């Protein structure tokens, strides 16, 4: 068993014999170079595991240079010192889960259980991440991979790139937090840990003018059912996700009430929303439309705004509808959440008291108001305020500004 001080020249000069030749490197203990009769040279490291000598293959020369072989041998022997068998580590890495499997486990065990916005997580996986990394080992994704994906996305959607970055970062942090998950996906680090945000963000204060509201309303009417979703947002000051996930069982159109369940509200409390006559008419129209659908799944969907491809789920993807609204209205910076802010601002301009406005927005009034009492607090005042706003809005979008004063009386 020859031991020599190997260098690049000596490795290159070693010739094969009639039988396999093996030499050990004096500079790196346990590192061996084998030369087959065919001339193939391969690196391996020899170590003792559970009282038995084992060999771990490091690669072939010249694909793996002497310097690389020494580095790999050092890492393998370090694993042994830590109590890990390099062969088992290699098998674990080979059999480790893919990013798609990690995404699925994250959705089932964390996102769907703890997050009201889990559908947005699923959308980001489906649209931005799985098309790139579906079959890639979760442990094989590097910081360079993350940066490249986010940089490409930021070119067309910088804020969305920040949202996707946050999701990647949290998925890996969640997986690394438990030993069983680390082992299943062979994870040692978070590839997004040191990736900075690609876009600077600030809080939006966008409120639409009368002319913009007129253009937006006409655009809403031109895009079908999703346009009604945007209208209801503007009329109720509800959040986009609250309207998009609205279910028929939450509505009492006779009493003009929408009862949002605690599972879907931001403060985790039931919220009773008074519906103005315009909102009721919109919902009655949607009800009639759904009843006339030929597809039984869509006709019987419990969702007011069901997913066209899967009527058992709510609609979640509003980006294309938003693009059509921007194009049709010429309001180039239109965002659905601005409708809630616009409604709230207009109500404040109309003199609606802060306490009533907070209840419309389902913001907390303090710890002294709880339970069922909280659900109907200022209900009549809220109903009057939203009814008045609806009348004013209809005047604006109908371009009957001369009648504004009489419409509010």
């Amino acid at each position: 068993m020859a031991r020599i001080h190997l260098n690049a020249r000596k490795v290159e000069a070693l010739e094969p014999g009639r039988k396999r030749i093996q030499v050990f490197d004096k500079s790196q203990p346990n590192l061996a170079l084998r030369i087959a009769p065919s001339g193939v040279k391969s690196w391996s490291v020899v170590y003792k595991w559970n009282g038995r000598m084992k060999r771990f293959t490091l690669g072939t020369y010249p694909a793996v240079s002497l310097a690389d072989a020494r580095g790999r041998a050092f890492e393998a022997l370090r694993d042994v010192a830590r109590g890990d068998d390099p062969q088992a580590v290699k098998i674990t890495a080979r059999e480790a889960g893919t990013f798609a499997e990690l995404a699925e486990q994250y959705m089932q065990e964390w996102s769907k259980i703890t997050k009201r916005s889990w559908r947005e997580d699923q959308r980001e996986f489906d649209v931005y991440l799985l098309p790139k990394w579906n079959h890639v080992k979760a442990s094989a994704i590097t910081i360079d991979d993350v940066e490249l994906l986010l940089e490409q996305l930021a070119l067309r959607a910088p804020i969305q790139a920040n949202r996707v970055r946050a999701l990647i970062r949290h998925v890996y942090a969640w997986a690394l937090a438990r030993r069983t998950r680390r082992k299943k996906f062979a994870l040692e680090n978070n590839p997004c840990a040191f990736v900075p945000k690609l876009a600077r963000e600030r809080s939006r204060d966008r409120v639409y003018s009368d002319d913009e509201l007129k253009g937006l309303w006409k655009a809403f009417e031109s895009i079908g059912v999703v346009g009604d979703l945007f209208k209801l947002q503007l009329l109720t000051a509800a959040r986009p996700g609250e309207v998009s996930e609205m279910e028929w069982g939450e509505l009492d159109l006779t009493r003009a009430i929408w009862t949002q369940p605690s599972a879907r509200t931001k403060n985790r409390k039931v919220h009773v929303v008074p519906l103005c006559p315009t909102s009721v008419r919109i919902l009655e129209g949607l009800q009639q439309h759904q009843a006339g659908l030929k597809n039984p799944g869509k006709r019987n969907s419990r969702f007011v705004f069901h997913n066209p491809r899967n009527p058992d789920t709510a609609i979640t993807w509003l980006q294309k509808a938003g693009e059509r609204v921007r194009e049709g209205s010429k309001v180039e910076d239109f965002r659905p959440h601005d409708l809630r802010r616009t409604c709230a601002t207009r109500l404040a301009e109309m003199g609606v008291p802060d306490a009533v406005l907070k209840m419309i927005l389902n913001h907390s009034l303090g710890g002294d108001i709880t339970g069922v009492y909280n659900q109907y607090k200022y209900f009549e005042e809220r109903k009057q305020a939203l009814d008045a706003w609806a009348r004013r809005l209809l005047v604006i979008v109908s371009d009957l500004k001369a009648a504004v004063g009489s419409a509010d009386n």
Side-chain angles (χ1 to χ4, degrees), residues 268-292:
R268 297 295 189 183
K269 295 180 181 179
V270 173
H271 182 48
V272 178
V273 181
L275 299 172
C276 68
T278 303
S279 295
V280 172
R281 286 195 297 271
I282 290 173
L283 289 164
E284 287 175 341
L286 289 168
Q287 197 172 48
Q288 293 174 5
H289 170 76
Q290 185 169 323

Side-chain angles (χ1 to χ4, degrees), residues 207-213 234 339-352 357 385 389 392-393 396:
V207 175
Y208 298 124
S209 66
D210 286 4
D211 287 340
E212 288 173 325
L213 285 173
L234 187 57
L339 299 172
R340 171 178 164 88
R341 186 184 306 105
T342 296
C343 178
T345 302
R346 294 306 186 100
L347 288 169
E349 290 172 354
M350 292 165 59
V352 174
L357 184 55
W389 161 237
R392 181 182 289 267
L393 176 62
I396 292 171

